[in-house]
Amino acid sequence: MYVIDPPKQASLAVQGSEARFPIRRIFCVGRNYEAHAREMGKDPTREAPFFFTKPADAALDTPCTIPYPLLTENLHYEIELIIAIGKGGVRIAEADVMDHVWGASVGLDMTRRDLQTEAKDMGRPWDWGKAFDDSAPIAPIKPLADVPSVETGRIWLAVNGKVQQDADLSDLIWSVREHVSILSHAMVLAPGDVIMTGTPAGVGAVVTGDVITGGVEGIGELEVTIGARA
Ligand code: MN
């Protein structure tokens, strides 16, 4: 019994299935490709990975149209490999990480870059730059048994057909096994947790009417259109 109707369970489509993947939390890895760390003005030496979060209901299925978000004048795309956790755990060893992974996909860590930059400059939290409505469009999850690799494979993004991000999963500073293990030493991971694993170089702005396409080789592709301002 609830005093108001409970919120709808956030979820994502699954490749080849009518059943959906329920989302508990969304964790995001910051600066996980060297060239992207450099373009953001940071030293890409192998400092410990850091994380931020988005609300579960920031996720939405693709293809989709997302409204141009409130409050920003500089909306950026970030194409990312997505990891979906099927079995929870704490202090997971690197060698055991894949036993906890249900599947993988490709998604966008949409970013209100002006608000994120202001937050960095002022020593404030990143939430307003990262954790806004509709900020995590994600392609249907591919079950792990059908995923060729989360360690190698092209990751790319194009805006209106022009390629802007083009890298390989092997460029990840912290691999999936490494960063999921590290994350599990900070949070007790649970089924339904989703991890956005960081973006390669080439981030940039999009405006109303732009069409973003992107993918990870062997895992999936997405298409997202930027709609009118919310
Ligand atoms: Mn990101």
Side-chain angles (χ1 to χ4, degrees), residues 135-222:
S135 60
I138 296 174
I141 307 278
K142 189 168 201 175
L144 189 66
D146 301 329
V147 171
S149 175
V150 296
E151 291 171 351
T152 63
R154 184 185 181 216
I155 178 169
W156 62 276
L157 174 144
V159 180
N160 304 325
K162 183 165 185 268
V163 174
Q164 302 286 357
Q165 295 187 278
D166 199 352
D168 195 279
L169 298 179
S170 59
D171 298 332
L172 280 165
I173 296 172
W174 296 94
S175 71
V176 170
R177 284 180 187 277
E178 289 173 329
H179 72 243
V180 173
S181 174
I182 291 167
L183 177 60
S184 77
H185 285 73
M187 293 281 185
V188 179
L189 293 185
D193 285 341
V194 168
I195 300 157
M196 308 188 86
T197 64
T199 199
V203 300
V206 282
V207 296
T208 296
D210 282 346
V211 178
I212 299 168
T213 50
V216 175
E217 182 183 357
I219 291 180
E221 295 194 355
L222 56 70

Side-chain angles (χ1 to χ4, degrees), residues 78 80 109 130:
E78 296 188 354
E80 311 206 355
D109 168 15
K130 288 289 194 179

